Amino acid sequence: RQASRVGMGATSGSGGGSTAPVSMVAELSAMIKAEGYASLYRGLAPTLWRDVPFSAIYWMFLERFKSNLNAMDGPFGGRSYTDRGEVVPALVQAGHAFVSGAGAGMIAAAFTTPFDVVKTRRQVVNGGGGSFEAEAMTIPTRSRSSLAFSSSVGEVTCDHGGAVVFDPRHNRAAAINRPTGTLGHMAMIVREEGVAALWRGNATRMIKVAPACAIMIGCYEFGKRILGDAAAV
């Protein structure tokens, strides 16, 4: 699914006479026909490198932030209710989860952006380990309103809110022998583009991830509380 999303994003803004698949099923079929079933798992390793630490960091900070908010005084804090022997209102509890989810999501996103950069690059490059000639022909460059293909230089937007993650500025000869592993890709990025390139687009990703995490955990906690109270009646 991730490979299909990136592929659809890359082809949707392409020019020329070719017609891009218009649905996920069509895109998956085209990928399998052209490159085999292995293409569906392109970028799996960096995706796991990104998502597993993200979840660990997210839930750790989420619980810490919720605990701190529950120990606060005032109308938004939980202590003012528990000290009076009252149950924390459902909206206040959901608010704790909402704020905590946003903060935890931003922190987790910042820690794992380098793996998102590698994941997107490997999914966009044809075959995940193909030659630079194939890579150069499939690197989209972003204008203000859309993506257009470029054969020499360009930018690739990741699937976390359009964060810029790829801007090759080196010549073909320097990019022919590309590494295939996640850590190898990261080392190459640092060597050729600097450490800051690993966090290219980090701010955009944090802005996208924070409300998504906040809404998800806030709705979950609110729904769990409402359903729990209804079951107890």
Side-chain angles (χ1 to χ4, degrees):
R1 180 173 174 268
Q2 286 282 347
S4 176
R5 288 173 60 190
V6 175
M8 292 175 69
T11 58
S12 62
S14 61
S18 62
T19 301
V22 296
S23 69
M24 181 177 294
V25 174
E27 175 69 16
L28 290 173
S29 299
M31 290 175 63
I32 294 172
K33 183 177 181 180
E35 305 173 55
Y37 285 96
S39 63
L40 300 179
Y41 296 92
R42 186 180 305 150
L44 174 62
T47 298
L48 294 175
W49 276 98
R50 180 197 67 180
D51 290 350
V52 174
F54 182 96
S55 296
I57 296 169
Y58 171 75
W59 289 105
M60 178 182 68
F61 279 99
L62 175 71
E63 294 301 326
R64 170 58 62 182
F65 292 158
K66 285 170 58 179
S67 178
N68 291 341
L69 289 172
N70 197 49
M72 287 175 54
D73 294 320
F76 190 69
R79 178 179 293 180
S80 58
Y81 298 96
T82 56
D83 286 349
R84 298 195 302 266
E86 301 176 2
V87 177
V88 179
L91 285 177
V92 174
Q93 190 174 9
H96 290 177
F98 186 91
V99 174
S100 300
M106 292 180 68
I107 294 173
F111 271 101
T112 57
T113 290
F115 300 110
D116 190 62
V117 170
V118 174
K119 174 195 74 71
T120 306
R121 291 194 182 196
R122 292 187 65 179
Q123 287 179 332
V124 170
V125 173
N126 186 21
S131 65
F132 182 73
E133 284 73 19
E135 175 182 347
M137 294 304 296
T138 57
I139 298 173
T141 181
R142 186 176 63 184
S143 65
R144 292 186 178 182
S145 59
S146 64
L147 292 174
F149 278 84
S150 170
S151 62
S152 58
V153 100
E155 296 175 331
V156 170
T157 56
C158 78
D159 57 337
H160 288 269
V164 178
V165 295
F166 198 11
D167 185 11
R169 296 188 178 94
H170 38 278
N171 57 34
R172 291 171 177 250
I176 291 177
N177 296 320
R178 296 184 299 106
T180 58
T182 300
L183 299 181
H185 271 85
M186 294 178 69
M188 181 189 70
I189 292 171
V190 172
R191 182 173 62 253
E192 298 181 357
E193 304 174 46
V195 176
L198 292 175
W199 277 270
R200 186 172 297 150
N202 178 61
T204 306
R205 183 167 181 250
M206 291 172 66
I207 292 172
K208 182 264 184 183
V209 169
C213 291
I215 294 171
M216 181 275 294
I217 196 64
C219 292
Y220 169 77
E221 291 288 351
F222 184 75
K224 183 177 71 172
R225 174 66 182 275
I226 295 299
L227 293 176
D229 291 346
V233 174

